[in-house]
Amino acid sequence: MDDPNPLVGTWTLVAIRAIAPDGSINPEAYGPSPVGRLTYTADGHMTVLFAQGDRLPLSHTPASPFQLEAVPRPERAQAFSSFSAYAGTYTLAGNTVTHHVAIASIPNRTGTDLVRILSLEGDRLTLKTPPSANSTHVELVWQRLS
């Protein structure tokens, strides 16, 4: 019998940290209280979305996403830059999970593979972008909801 997939379920975001090449850590890389959800299904699908927790409401409330033209451009830019989401499938191999992106709020990610180094301690999941000698990598900490 295969081991059950430890990622299956829904997770809530606890923290986002940025780790610079010199090892210094910014514990509030996405603001002081980021929010998010991550879901992995048993049949290999995944969805992730996260946002800065201190996002300001828009000055105009559109009835749908197709009516955003009434919102001033700077507010739309702020809303976009403080939110990220993507979905697709995933593969798990050892201590890495690869997200195969089918749709994303950042269009350039669509069709790409995002590799994450994972560690799981009880109901706490940490996903890290692979470290690079020349750039900051990011660590997202998640708590299991279900």
Short mmCIF file of all heavy atoms in Angstrom, two decimals, residues 4-11 38-41 90-92 96-97 99 118 120 125 127 144 146:
data_model
loop_
_atom_site.label_atom_id
_atom_site.label_comp_id
_atom_site.label_asym_id
_atom_site.label_seq_id
_atom_site.Cartn_x
_atom_site.Cartn_y
_atom_site.Cartn_z
N PRO A 4 0.08 7.54 2.29
CA PRO A 4 -0.82 8.64 1.90
C PRO A 4 -0.03 9.92 1.63
O PRO A 4 1.02 10.14 2.22
CB PRO A 4 -1.74 8.79 3.11
CG PRO A 4 -1.03 8.15 4.25
CD PRO A 4 -0.10 7.12 3.66
N ASN A 5 -0.54 10.71 0.74
CA ASN A 5 0.12 11.97 0.40
C ASN A 5 -0.06 12.95 1.55
O ASN A 5 -1.17 13.36 1.86
CB ASN A 5 -0.51 12.51 -0.89
CG ASN A 5 0.12 13.79 -1.37
OD1 ASN A 5 0.71 14.53 -0.60
ND2 ASN A 5 -0.03 14.07 -2.64
N PRO A 6 1.01 13.39 2.20
CA PRO A 6 0.89 14.26 3.37
C PRO A 6 0.45 15.69 3.04
O PRO A 6 0.10 16.44 3.94
CB PRO A 6 2.30 14.26 3.96
CG PRO A 6 3.19 14.03 2.78
CD PRO A 6 2.41 13.10 1.88
N LEU A 7 0.47 16.06 1.76
CA LEU A 7 0.09 17.42 1.38
C LEU A 7 -1.41 17.59 1.19
O LEU A 7 -1.92 18.71 1.25
CB LEU A 7 0.80 17.84 0.10
CG LEU A 7 2.32 17.89 0.15
CD1 LEU A 7 2.88 18.36 -1.19
CD2 LEU A 7 2.81 18.76 1.28
N VAL A 8 -2.13 16.50 0.95
CA VAL A 8 -3.55 16.59 0.62
C VAL A 8 -4.31 17.29 1.75
O VAL A 8 -4.18 16.94 2.92
CB VAL A 8 -4.15 15.19 0.34
CG1 VAL A 8 -5.66 15.25 0.23
CG2 VAL A 8 -3.54 14.62 -0.93
N GLY A 9 -5.07 18.29 1.36
CA GLY A 9 -5.87 19.04 2.32
C GLY A 9 -5.81 20.52 2.02
O GLY A 9 -5.29 20.96 0.99
N THR A 10 -6.34 21.30 2.95
CA THR A 10 -6.35 22.75 2.82
C THR A 10 -5.50 23.34 3.94
O THR A 10 -5.57 22.89 5.09
CB THR A 10 -7.80 23.29 2.91
OG1 THR A 10 -8.55 22.70 1.84
CG2 THR A 10 -7.84 24.80 2.77
N TRP A 11 -4.71 24.33 3.57
CA TRP A 11 -3.75 24.96 4.47
C TRP A 11 -4.03 26.46 4.52
O TRP A 11 -4.45 27.06 3.53
CB TRP A 11 -2.34 24.73 3.96
CG TRP A 11 -2.00 23.28 3.75
CD1 TRP A 11 -2.34 22.50 2.68
CD2 TRP A 11 -1.26 22.45 4.62
NE1 TRP A 11 -1.85 21.23 2.84
CE2 TRP A 11 -1.17 21.17 4.04
CE3 TRP A 11 -0.63 22.66 5.86
CZ2 TRP A 11 -0.51 20.11 4.63
CZ3 TRP A 11 0.04 21.60 6.45
CH2 TRP A 11 0.09 20.34 5.84
N LEU A 38 -4.02 27.38 0.59
CA LEU A 38 -3.34 26.44 -0.28
C LEU A 38 -4.10 25.13 -0.20
O LEU A 38 -4.38 24.65 0.90
CB LEU A 38 -1.90 26.25 0.19
CG LEU A 38 -1.06 25.14 -0.42
CD1 LEU A 38 -0.84 25.36 -1.92
CD2 LEU A 38 0.28 25.04 0.30
N THR A 39 -4.45 24.57 -1.35
CA THR A 39 -5.16 23.30 -1.37
C THR A 39 -4.45 22.33 -2.31
O THR A 39 -4.12 22.70 -3.44
CB THR A 39 -6.62 23.49 -1.84
OG1 THR A 39 -7.28 24.38 -0.94
CG2 THR A 39 -7.37 22.16 -1.86
N TYR A 40 -4.24 21.13 -1.82
CA TYR A 40 -3.73 20.01 -2.61
C TYR A 40 -4.80 18.93 -2.60
O TYR A 40 -5.29 18.57 -1.52
CB TYR A 40 -2.44 19.43 -2.02
CG TYR A 40 -1.23 20.32 -2.12
CD1 TYR A 40 -0.73 20.97 -1.00
CD2 TYR A 40 -0.56 20.47 -3.32
CE1 TYR A 40 0.41 21.76 -1.08
CE2 TYR A 40 0.59 21.27 -3.41
CZ TYR A 40 1.06 21.90 -2.29
OH TYR A 40 2.19 22.68 -2.36
N THR A 41 -5.15 18.40 -3.78
CA THR A 41 -6.13 17.32 -3.84
C THR A 41 -5.42 15.99 -4.02
O THR A 41 -4.28 15.93 -4.50
CB THR A 41 -7.13 17.53 -4.99
OG1 THR A 41 -6.43 17.43 -6.24
CG2 THR A 41 -7.84 18.88 -4.89
N TYR A 90 0.30 19.16 -9.50
CA TYR A 90 1.56 19.11 -8.77
C TYR A 90 2.10 17.69 -8.76
O TYR A 90 1.36 16.72 -8.92
CB TYR A 90 1.39 19.62 -7.34
CG TYR A 90 0.60 18.71 -6.42
CD1 TYR A 90 1.26 17.83 -5.55
CD2 TYR A 90 -0.78 18.71 -6.42
CE1 TYR A 90 0.54 16.99 -4.71
CE2 TYR A 90 -1.50 17.88 -5.58
CZ TYR A 90 -0.84 17.02 -4.73
OH TYR A 90 -1.55 16.19 -3.90
N THR A 91 3.41 17.60 -8.59
CA THR A 91 4.07 16.32 -8.37
C THR A 91 4.94 16.45 -7.14
O THR A 91 5.56 17.48 -6.89
CB THR A 91 4.92 15.89 -9.59
OG1 THR A 91 5.80 16.95 -9.96
CG2 THR A 91 4.05 15.55 -10.78
N LEU A 92 4.96 15.38 -6.37
CA LEU A 92 5.70 15.32 -5.12
C LEU A 92 6.84 14.33 -5.31
O LEU A 92 6.63 13.20 -5.76
CB LEU A 92 4.76 14.87 -4.01
CG LEU A 92 5.26 14.76 -2.59
CD1 LEU A 92 5.79 16.10 -2.09
CD2 LEU A 92 4.15 14.26 -1.69
N THR A 96 10.68 17.81 -2.37
CA THR A 96 10.24 18.90 -3.26
C THR A 96 8.84 18.62 -3.79
O THR A 96 8.42 17.47 -3.95
CB THR A 96 11.18 19.09 -4.48
OG1 THR A 96 11.15 17.92 -5.28
CG2 THR A 96 12.60 19.40 -4.04
N VAL A 97 8.13 19.70 -4.01
CA VAL A 97 6.85 19.64 -4.71
C VAL A 97 6.98 20.60 -5.88
O VAL A 97 7.51 21.70 -5.75
CB VAL A 97 5.66 20.00 -3.79
CG1 VAL A 97 5.76 21.41 -3.21
CG2 VAL A 97 4.34 19.81 -4.51
N HIS A 99 4.91 22.62 -8.70
CA HIS A 99 3.61 23.12 -9.12
C HIS A 99 3.66 23.36 -10.63
O HIS A 99 4.49 24.16 -11.09
CB HIS A 99 3.26 24.42 -8.39
CG HIS A 99 3.19 24.28 -6.91
ND1 HIS A 99 3.34 25.35 -6.06
CD2 HIS A 99 2.95 23.20 -6.12
CE1 HIS A 99 3.22 24.93 -4.80
NE2 HIS A 99 2.98 23.64 -4.82
N LEU A 118 10.15 21.48 0.43
CA LEU A 118 9.15 21.40 1.49
C LEU A 118 9.70 20.74 2.73
O LEU A 118 10.60 19.90 2.68
CB LEU A 118 7.90 20.67 1.00
CG LEU A 118 7.95 19.17 0.76
CD1 LEU A 118 7.59 18.39 2.01
CD2 LEU A 118 6.97 18.81 -0.34
N LEU A 120 7.74 19.34 6.45
CA LEU A 120 6.46 19.13 7.10
C LEU A 120 6.72 18.66 8.52
O LEU A 120 7.41 17.65 8.73
CB LEU A 120 5.64 18.10 6.33
CG LEU A 120 4.23 17.80 6.79
CD1 LEU A 120 3.36 19.06 6.74
CD2 LEU A 120 3.62 16.71 5.92
N LEU A 125 3.41 23.18 7.39
CA LEU A 125 4.10 22.95 6.12
C LEU A 125 4.88 24.20 5.75
O LEU A 125 4.33 25.30 5.77
CB LEU A 125 3.06 22.64 5.02
CG LEU A 125 3.56 22.59 3.58
CD1 LEU A 125 4.50 21.41 3.36
CD2 LEU A 125 2.37 22.52 2.62
N LEU A 127 7.13 25.82 2.64
CA LEU A 127 7.53 25.74 1.24
C LEU A 127 8.51 26.86 0.97
O LEU A 127 8.25 28.02 1.29
CB LEU A 127 6.32 25.88 0.31
CG LEU A 127 5.24 24.82 0.44
CD1 LEU A 127 4.07 25.14 -0.49
CD2 LEU A 127 5.80 23.44 0.12
N ARG A 144 -2.17 23.42 8.60
CA ARG A 144 -3.26 22.59 8.06
C ARG A 144 -4.60 23.01 8.64
O ARG A 144 -4.75 23.18 9.85
CB ARG A 144 -3.00 21.11 8.37
CG ARG A 144 -4.05 20.18 7.75
CD ARG A 144 -3.82 18.74 8.12
NE ARG A 144 -2.56 18.21 7.61
CZ ARG A 144 -2.38 17.77 6.36
NH1 ARG A 144 -3.36 17.83 5.49
NH2 ARG A 144 -1.21 17.29 5.99
N SER A 146 -7.53 21.31 7.08
CA SER A 146 -8.28 20.05 6.96
C SER A 146 -7.45 19.03 6.23
O SER A 146 -6.45 19.31 5.64
CB SER A 146 -9.58 20.29 6.21
OG SER A 146 -9.34 20.68 4.87
#
